């Protein structure tokens, strides 16, 4: 068995104590995924597993044997940035940049959830299609903190790309 | 983190065999136990990963739902039957944690998560009877804004942190258990225990027991239900007060009602006293407040949480008003 990280099969760690976050950063030398709180409170370590956003700090790497993991390093198509990466630059969606990989992976996961109709705590009609208003995006992105205070730029970047895509 | 063996059983029988071994613990999504193990608040010698066992949500013959314990929180909240027949459950789940955590957390793990009392987590600096029986409780005389006012003891005032469980309490869920004692079922309200003088024991489960499913019985008026959570910030915070409720009107009287509170007790708090006070009576703001007053008559407030009975009353009135008239009372 193996983990599939950004399309490449890699071995899981020998020690089951190793988190997916530490395995990515230290075992596989993919430092794009960031360690913030290491206790599930900040979202900096967000990655995609089979398309779903999760916190890699609370994930034991061995538990993800056989799963497809996508990190920030796996989003660009060669030199062509992912549309959300471009939007974060255009909308000043960061200052120090530490939370950015988690924010972008989280937003991609959020868009997939909205497309398949997952409601949020703000959703009025639980059976209706999802409209990603600014308030809905704020709620759905509340698991990703930005200490620089770039949240407005982050939400703008996501609205400019993801909201239009989900509405289409 | 103390070293442990990791095992991923391929079926339930193998999982139960592994889970019966001394020192073993079951692993769901890991969102609580991994943190507890890092802080050495849990030190299992083996983790038995039950997160990849079959996880289905199936309609039962009677019109209810059987939910596999390994179903992820997001999958349960987005299920069309949950959204239409048990909106209180969908909304409770969506009010909890963050989207990332809801994608990881399993239903069984959510039920068995431990308290978020800060003194419980502060192993090096604080006394806690739940962490170390007999040590004392620093929360009773400490910062206790988030702590419980019902069902507490001198030994422990910690709350159960789950939102999902508050809805399950209101819905009369049934817990399906398997383990060394065999298969059995239990009313959800009997699963979690009050602290008494043994606050280290959160539930009545025996060693090796595994929650294999949660069953929702049919509820005729389940569609008329909702969940409201009051907290210190608008999202991604534990409840100060939460209310899960379902109401059926009979003319201008309350025909039937289900109420449970979160954030007020060491277990999800089914409000049978308030329900009895409301059943057959008018759906007025005064009736809602009187029902809450009856439920919280025995509340034991602490230095920082004396607002809780009042906030619970207002939140209940808002929820029941919305369900009965469309407007908060």
């Amino acid at each position: 068995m193996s983990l599939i990280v950004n399309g490449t099969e890699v071995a899981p760690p020998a020690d089951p104590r190793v988190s997916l976050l530490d395995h990515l950063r230290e075992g596989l030398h993919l430092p794009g995924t960031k360690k913030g709180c290491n206790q599930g409170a900040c979202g900096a370590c967000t990655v995609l597993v089979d398309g779903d956003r999760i916190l890699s700090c609370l994930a034991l790497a061995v538990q993800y044997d056989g799963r497809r993991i996508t990190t920030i390093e796996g989003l660009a198509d060669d030199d062509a940035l992912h549309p959300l990466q471009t939007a974060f630059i255009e909308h000043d969606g960061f200052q120090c940049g530490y939370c950015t990989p988690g924010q972008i992976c989280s937003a991609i996961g959020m868009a997939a959830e909205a497309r398949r109709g997952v409601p949020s705590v703000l959703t009025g009609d639980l059976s209706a299609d999802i409209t990603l208003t600014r308030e809905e995006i704020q709620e759905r992105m509340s698991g990703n903190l930005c200490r620089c205070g770039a949240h407005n730029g982050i939400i703008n970047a996501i609205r400019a790309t993801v909201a239009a895509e989900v509405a289409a | 983190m103390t070293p442990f063996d990791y095992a991923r059983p391929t079926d339930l029988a193998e999982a139960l065999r592994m889970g019966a071994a001394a020192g073993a613990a079951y692993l769901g999504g890991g969102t609580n136990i991994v943190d507890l193990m890092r802080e050495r608040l849990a030190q299992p010698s083996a983790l038995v990963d039950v997160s990849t066992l079959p996880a289905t949500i199936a309609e039962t013959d009677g019109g209810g739902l059987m939910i596999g314990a390994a179903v992820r929180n997001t999958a349960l909240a987005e299920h069309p039957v949950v959204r239409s027949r048990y909106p209180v459950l969908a909304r409770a789940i969506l009010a909890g944690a963050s989207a990332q955590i809801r994608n990881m957390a399993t239903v069984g793990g959510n039920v068995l998560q431990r308290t978020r009392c800060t003194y419980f987590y502060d192993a090096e600096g604080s006394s806690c009877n739940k962490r170390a029986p007999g040590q004392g409780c620093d929360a009773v005389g400490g910062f206790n804004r988030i702590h419980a006012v019902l069902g507490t003891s001198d030994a422990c005032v910690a709350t159960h942190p789950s939102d999902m469980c508050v809805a399950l309490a209101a819905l009369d869920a049934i817990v399906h258990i398997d383990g060394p004692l065999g298969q059995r079922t239990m009313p959800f309200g009997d699963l979690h225990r009050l602290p008494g003088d043994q606050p280290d024991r959160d539930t009545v489960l025996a060693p090796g027991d595994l929650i294999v499913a949660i069953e929702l019985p049919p509820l005729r008026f389940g569609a008329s239900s909702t969940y409201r959570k009051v907290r210190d910030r608008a999202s991604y915070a534990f409840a100060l007060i939460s209310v899960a409720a379902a109401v059926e009107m009979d003319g201008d009287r309350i025909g039937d009602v289900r109420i449970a509170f979160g954030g007020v007790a060491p277990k999800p708090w089914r409000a049978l006293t308030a329900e009895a006070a409301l059943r057959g009576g008018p759906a007025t703001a005064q009736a809602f407040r009187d029902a809450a007053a009856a439920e919280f008559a025995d509340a034991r407030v602490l230095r920082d949480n004396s607002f809780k009975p009042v906030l619970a009353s207002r939140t209940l009135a808002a929820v029941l008003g919305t369900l009965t008239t469309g407007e908060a009372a």
Side-chain angles (χ1 to χ4, degrees):
Chain A
M1 291 289 279
S2 57
L3 291 78
I4 303 145
V5 177
N6 298 331
T8 303
E9 286 193 26
V10 299
D15 189 333
R17 290 178 293 180
V18 177
S19 69
L20 181 58
L21 172 62
D22 286 343
H23 192 52
L24 291 169
R25 289 179 57 85
E26 294 168 31
L28 304 175
H29 308 293
L30 292 169
T33 306
K34 294 297 187 276
K35 182 182 277 192
C37 68
N38 208 37
Q39 57 178 15
C42 78
C45 67
T46 303
V47 299
L48 299 166
V49 175
D50 296 325
D52 290 332
R53 50 180 168 163
I54 67 146
L55 299 178
S56 60
C57 76
L58 291 181
L60 297 174
V62 287
Q63 217 180 351
Y64 290 82
D65 218 22
R67 311 285 295 277
R68 289 182 302 112
I69 293 142
T70 305
T71 71
I72 191 75
E73 289 94 340
L75 294 181
D77 186 3
D78 288 330
D79 287 340
L81 292 180
H82 186 282
L84 259 172
Q85 291 174 304
T86 305
F88 267 64
I89 295 169
E90 288 174 354
H91 292 272
D92 283 334
F94 52 86
Q95 183 176 318
C96 83
Y98 199 78
C99 73
T100 313
Q103 299 276 6
I104 291 176
C105 286
S106 186
I108 292 170
M110 181 202 67
E113 290 161 13
R115 271 196 297 274
R116 69 171 201 260
V118 178
S120 86
V121 73
L122 294 182
T123 308
D125 179 355
L126 289 180
S127 62
D129 287 341
I130 302 302
T131 304
L132 284 180
T133 61
R134 186 173 192 87
E135 290 71 26
E136 276 277 1
I137 295 174
Q138 286 172 333
E139 161 59 27
R140 289 163 188 267
M141 292 296 294
S142 71
N144 292 82
L145 305 185
C146 169
R147 284 296 191 200
C148 300
H151 281 293
N152 285 327
I154 291 167
I155 302 298
N156 290 342
I158 295 170
R159 284 201 85 187
T161 47
V162 169
E165 179 196 339
V166 170
Chain B
M1 200 184 288
T2 305
F4 61 88
D5 294 321
Y6 169 85
R8 191 191 289 189
T10 54
D11 59 29
L12 178 60
E14 190 182 13
L16 293 175
R17 266 199 311 280
M18 292 173 165
Y26 295 110
L27 172 67
T31 57
N32 189 207
I33 198 170
V34 169
D35 206 27
L36 292 170
M37 289 167 67
R38 267 191 200 130
E39 301 294 330
R40 293 197 163 83
L41 299 176
Q43 296 182 293
S45 56
L47 281 184
V48 180
D49 185 353
V50 292
S51 70
T52 57
L53 293 179
T56 58
I57 303 172
E59 297 195 50
T60 60
D61 290 342
L65 274 187
M66 188 71 78
I67 303 155
V71 167
R72 307 285 169 167
N73 283 197
T74 302
L76 185 55
E78 73 174 299
H79 193 277
V81 173
V82 175
R83 283 196 260 172
S84 61
R85 286 188 220 158
Y86 306 98
V88 60
L89 179 57
R91 293 196 185 280
I93 292 170
L94 295 168
S98 68
Q100 290 97 314
I101 291 174
R102 295 193 294 269
N103 284 340
M104 302 170 78
T106 62
V107 169
N110 184 318
V111 169
L112 295 177
Q113 68 181 299
R114 306 214 67 195
T115 186
R116 304 297 164 141
C117 172
T118 43
Y119 297 99
F120 171 71
Y121 271 85
D122 183 23
E124 289 172 7
S126 303
S127 296
C128 171
N129 289 318
K130 188 182 277 296
R131 169 166 34 79
Q135 192 177 56
C137 171
D138 279 353
V140 170
F143 294 98
N144 40 40
R145 175 175 171 78
I146 65 170
H147 288 78
V149 297
L150 293 174
T152 57
S153 70
D154 291 340
C156 186
V157 293
T159 56
H160 192 272
S162 170
D163 292 294
M164 183 188 81
C165 287
V166 183
L168 293 180
L171 291 170
D172 272 339
I174 298 160
V175 187
H176 290 248
I177 300 161
D178 207 342
L181 305 175
Q183 291 182 14
R184 59 201 192 279
T185 61
M186 177 184 297
F188 186 77
D190 293 347
L191 178 69
H192 296 96
R193 53 184 300 286
L194 293 176
D197 57 4
Q198 279 190 297
D200 53 313
R201 288 187 58 219
D202 294 353
T203 71
V204 299
L205 294 179
D209 272 346
L210 178 66
I211 295 176
V212 293
I214 301 287
E215 181 180 356
L216 301 183
L219 181 60
R220 194 176 53 239
F221 53 101
S224 175
S225 70
T226 195
Y227 187 76
R228 183 151 174 180
K229 180 176 182 181
V230 182
R231 39 187 160 174
D232 275 328
R233 60 183 183 196
S235 187
Y236 203 11
F238 291 100
L240 291 171
I241 294 286
S242 68
V243 172
V247 186
E248 181 178 58
M249 293 301 287
D250 179 7
D252 59 356
R253 303 252 145 190
I254 292 174
D256 205 353
V257 62
R258 302 279 187 82
I259 300 165
F261 288 98
V264 300
K267 62 183 283 186
W269 191 264
R270 179 68 181 273
L272 295 173
T273 304
E275 291 177 11
L278 288 165
R279 211 168 276 126
T284 60
Q286 188 60 49
F288 304 153
R289 282 197 294 270
D290 290 347
E295 190 65 46
F296 284 82
D298 297 330
R300 294 208 310 175
V301 299
L302 303 163
R303 186 192 71 186
D304 300 330
N305 70 3
S306 59
F307 66 90
K308 283 201 171 184
V310 180
L311 185 57
S313 175
R314 291 174 182 167
T315 309
L316 180 66
V319 167
L320 294 181
T322 303
L323 285 174
T324 54
T325 69
E327 286 180 26

